[in-house]
């Protein structure tokens, strides 16, 4: 099973990095060192989706981000980039996923793309939903001012050890795998240990049970090779909006939403890289369940 996980991690990373290319089952199976027949079955067992379902969903979700954030691109530019043969095929697939056409989605995006509401789920948790406001813009920006210290700074390259999580519910178990590995390397616990969550999907376009998050630990040097579920990830050096604050777990959604609004209000645009969180303290060790966190958005 560990070898299967290692190969699937490699395959998912390859798919996500090549959504604008021809992703044949044969090619993807080769990346994972499987025969196409066995790979198809193993992928579905590990992810809950067929290979084609995963690729189709990721292309639609990536096109949604482009529609919202890359206004200079035409609909045709976007659907051709992600492998749709025609406007009608793209519109049909997009509407099936988001219940609105690409044009309707793009028109609504400037007003509510970075604003969400909270909807109670069956287990009492909250799910991110795209449709309405969490609260108005002014209140969110005021919340940012009161609770977060925001800077735009250059961050250096960071080398990470990572464990992939498919779905928000599996992040804690991914960190447990990472910590067990780090203990075996005498890297944990330690005064200067930094845990980092890297978001490879957006909750605005990807359901919480499908979102890909990497549970990571900052290393002094690059991990040379994959060790079981542990693989190397690098955050490239560059300009970031960094918001620091001491907050509870319930404040995470509000922090991200308000920070993206701050970004828009201050005329910054997202760079093609992944946002992440850096944890400086552990909420389990605080009497009020608070933790010190950096929220980091790559910008141009």
């Amino acid at each position: 099973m560990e070898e299967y996980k290692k190969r699937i991690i490699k395959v998912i990373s390859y798919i996500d990095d090549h959504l604008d290319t021809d992703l044949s089952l044969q090619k993807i199976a080769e990346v994972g060192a499987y025969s196409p027949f066995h790979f198809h079955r193993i992928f579905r067992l590990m992810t809950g989706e067929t290979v084609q379902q995963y690729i189709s969903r990721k292309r639609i979700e990536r096109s949604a981000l482009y529609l919202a954030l890359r206004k200079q691109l035409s609909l045709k530019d976007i659907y051709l980039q992600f492998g749709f043969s025609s406007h009608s095929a793209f519109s049909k697939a997009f509407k099936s996923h988001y219940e609105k056409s690409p044009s309707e989605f793009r028109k609504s995006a400037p007003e509510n793309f970075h604003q969400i509401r909270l909807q109670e789920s069956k287990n009492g948790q909250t799910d991110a939903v795209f449709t309405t406001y969490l609260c108005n813009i002014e209140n969110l920006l005021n919340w940012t001012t009161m609770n977060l210290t925001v800077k735009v700074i250059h961050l250096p390259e960071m080398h990470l050890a990572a464990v992939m999580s498919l779905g928000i519910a599996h992040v804690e178990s991914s960190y447990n795998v990472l910590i067990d590995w780090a203990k075996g390397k005498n890297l944990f616990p330690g005064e200067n240990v930094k845990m980092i969550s890297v978001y490879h999907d957006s909750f605005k376009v990807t359901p919480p049970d499908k979102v890909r998050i990497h549970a990571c630990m900052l290393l002094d040097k690059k991990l040379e090779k994959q060790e079981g579920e542990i693989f190397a990830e690098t955050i490239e050096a560059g300009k970031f909006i960094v918001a620091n604050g001491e907050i509870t777990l319930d404040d995470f959604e509000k922090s991200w939403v308000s920070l993206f609004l701050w970004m828009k209000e201050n005329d910054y645009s997202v760079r093609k890289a992944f946002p992440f969180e850096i944890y400086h303290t552990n909420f389990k060790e605080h009497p009020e369940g608070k933790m010190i966190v950096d929220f980091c958005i790559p910008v141009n």
Side-chain angles (χ1 to χ4, degrees), residues 55-219:
I55 293 172
S56 297
R57 176 174 64 81
K58 294 294 292 185
R59 281 176 167 163
I60 288 292
E61 290 169 356
R62 189 68 58 82
S63 69
L65 286 175
Y66 276 38
L67 286 168
L69 301 178
R70 301 194 177 186
K71 304 297 185 181
Q72 75 277 16
L73 296 179
S74 68
L75 290 183
K76 186 175 182 179
D77 289 335
I78 293 171
Y79 75 68
L80 288 179
Q81 180 168 346
F82 292 108
F84 294 93
S85 59
S86 66
H87 183 276
S88 60
F90 176 55
S91 294
K92 182 178 180 180
F94 194 95
K95 194 165 187 176
S96 175
H97 196 75
Y98 287 111
E99 298 184 348
K100 60 175 65 179
S101 70
S103 297
E104 291 170 334
F105 186 95
R106 171 166 269 182
K107 287 177 182 177
S108 66
E111 289 74 36
N112 65 14
F113 188 71
H114 292 307
Q115 300 161 28
I116 61 172
R117 66 180 172 90
L118 297 180
Q119 175 176 296
E120 290 298 324
S121 68
K122 294 179 181 179
N123 62 2
Q125 299 289 323
T126 54
D127 292 328
V129 181
F130 177 75
T131 52
T132 57
Y133 296 139
L134 174 63
C135 59
N136 64 54
I137 292 175
E138 183 177 356
N139 285 344
L140 280 170
L141 292 174
N142 287 339
W143 190 91
T144 303
T145 301
M146 294 174 62
N147 294 278
L148 299 174
T149 301
V150 184
K151 298 179 180 179
V152 180
I153 59 176
H154 185 278
L155 292 179
E157 183 178 72
M158 300 182 205
H159 297 300
L160 311 175
V163 176
M164 183 182 296
S165 170
L166 291 178
I168 189 71
H170 299 130
V171 173
E172 184 173 358
S173 61
S174 294
Y175 269 112
N176 289 339
V177 171
L178 180 64
I179 289 171
D180 286 345
W181 171 84
K183 287 179 177 177
K185 300 285 186 180
N186 294 320
L187 299 174
F188 185 92
E191 289 185 8
N192 297 317
V193 171
K194 291 289 187 297
M195 296 297 189
I196 299 175
S197 289
V198 182
Y199 291 89
H200 285 255
D201 290 317
S202 168
F203 285 97
K204 311 304 180 294
V205 295
T206 305
D209 64 332
K210 302 292 186 185
V211 70
R212 180 157 73 97
I213 302 170
H214 289 179
C216 303
M217 177 182 290
L218 183 63
L219 303 177

